[in-house]
Amino acid sequence: MSNDDGHDHEEHDHDADHREHDHEGHHHGHEPALIDPAQHRAEAVALFNAVWEMLDAPVRTPADDDQMVHAAHASRWHWSQAGELGGDQQLAIGEWQCSRVYSVLGRGEPALHHANACLAICEVAGLGDWVIAAAYEALARAAKVAGDGASSEEWLSRGRTAVAAIADPEDREVIAADLDAIAAG
């Protein structure tokens, strides 16, 4: 085919060429690296622990707060990718931690969102003991941060009832102390 520039150009079907090179199984250098479930689990645990360190920090900058939010979400996401090395309990606690972070930051709406997600996982999976008590604690804390004192009191009451059923005394003590702190604050 001749063009105005005096050169012959071969007709080319760009769509066909693109389809030829854009099919499954080919790697083009931009696919994410696969992470095995054990690595997802390790990342989830490390990020969860890093969030606790950030929560315990005596002083945090706004940038630190952002990093804490990102780390909590990343931990929760890695648990969702850990296959059989993670489970409903880890997913629920991941949601609980996201709620705690948002509560500490005074952000009621996302705190409630993640607390409700924690409770939903507990209910669907039939999780009890300290995990359901933690869900109630998250809801009490998030409701208080959101300015809903009546709901906070209701969740505190449910939390205290759940705490009484926790088998391990140490777990019972930790969640009871969290509920007391919410009530006092």
Side-chain angles (χ1 to χ4, degrees):
M1 165 186 253
S2 186
N3 198 334
D4 288 343
D5 64 5
H7 293 88
D8 286 333
H9 295 279
E10 200 176 304
E11 280 191 46
H12 188 77
D13 183 351
H14 290 281
D15 289 335
D17 187 53
H18 179 74
R19 284 188 304 270
E20 178 181 316
H21 292 95
D22 188 32
H23 55 275
E24 290 184 36
H26 279 23
H27 297 285
H28 301 284
H30 57 269
E31 288 81 12
L34 294 178
I35 301 174
D36 67 37
Q39 184 63 36
H40 278 295
R41 181 189 183 287
E43 293 295 333
V45 169
L47 288 160
F48 184 90
N49 292 335
V51 169
W52 273 114
E53 289 176 18
M54 289 182 242
L55 283 167
D56 289 340
V59 177
R60 285 188 312 274
T61 66
D64 294 336
D65 290 345
D66 287 344
Q67 289 301 307
M68 184 170 59
V69 168
H70 297 314
H73 282 279
S75 174
R76 167 58 179 84
W77 180 80
H78 277 290
W79 278 121
S80 75
Q81 303 300 302
E84 292 180 9
L85 298 178
D88 294 325
Q89 180 173 308
Q90 288 78 18
L91 297 175
I93 296 305
E95 294 293 349
W96 172 86
Q97 189 179 57
C98 288
S99 179
R100 174 63 72 95
V101 165
Y102 284 116
S103 288
V104 166
L105 297 177
R107 297 179 58 192
E109 188 281 325
L112 281 168
H113 171 82
H114 291 286
N116 279 308
C118 176
L119 179 61
I121 293 167
C122 289
E123 290 176 342
V124 168
L127 298 175
D129 202 64
W130 67 271
V131 183
I132 192 75
Y136 297 149
E137 177 270 327
L139 283 157
R141 186 181 303 275
K144 189 164 193 168
V145 168
D148 187 350
S151 289
S152 182
E153 288 298 323
E154 181 182 324
W155 290 115
L156 279 169
S157 176
R158 291 182 74 174
R160 287 187 178 110
T161 300
V163 162
I166 296 174
D168 183 296
E170 189 175 313
D171 291 339
R172 194 167 46 245
E173 183 179 312
V174 167
I175 296 181
D178 281 344
L179 292 170
D180 290 344
I182 295 166

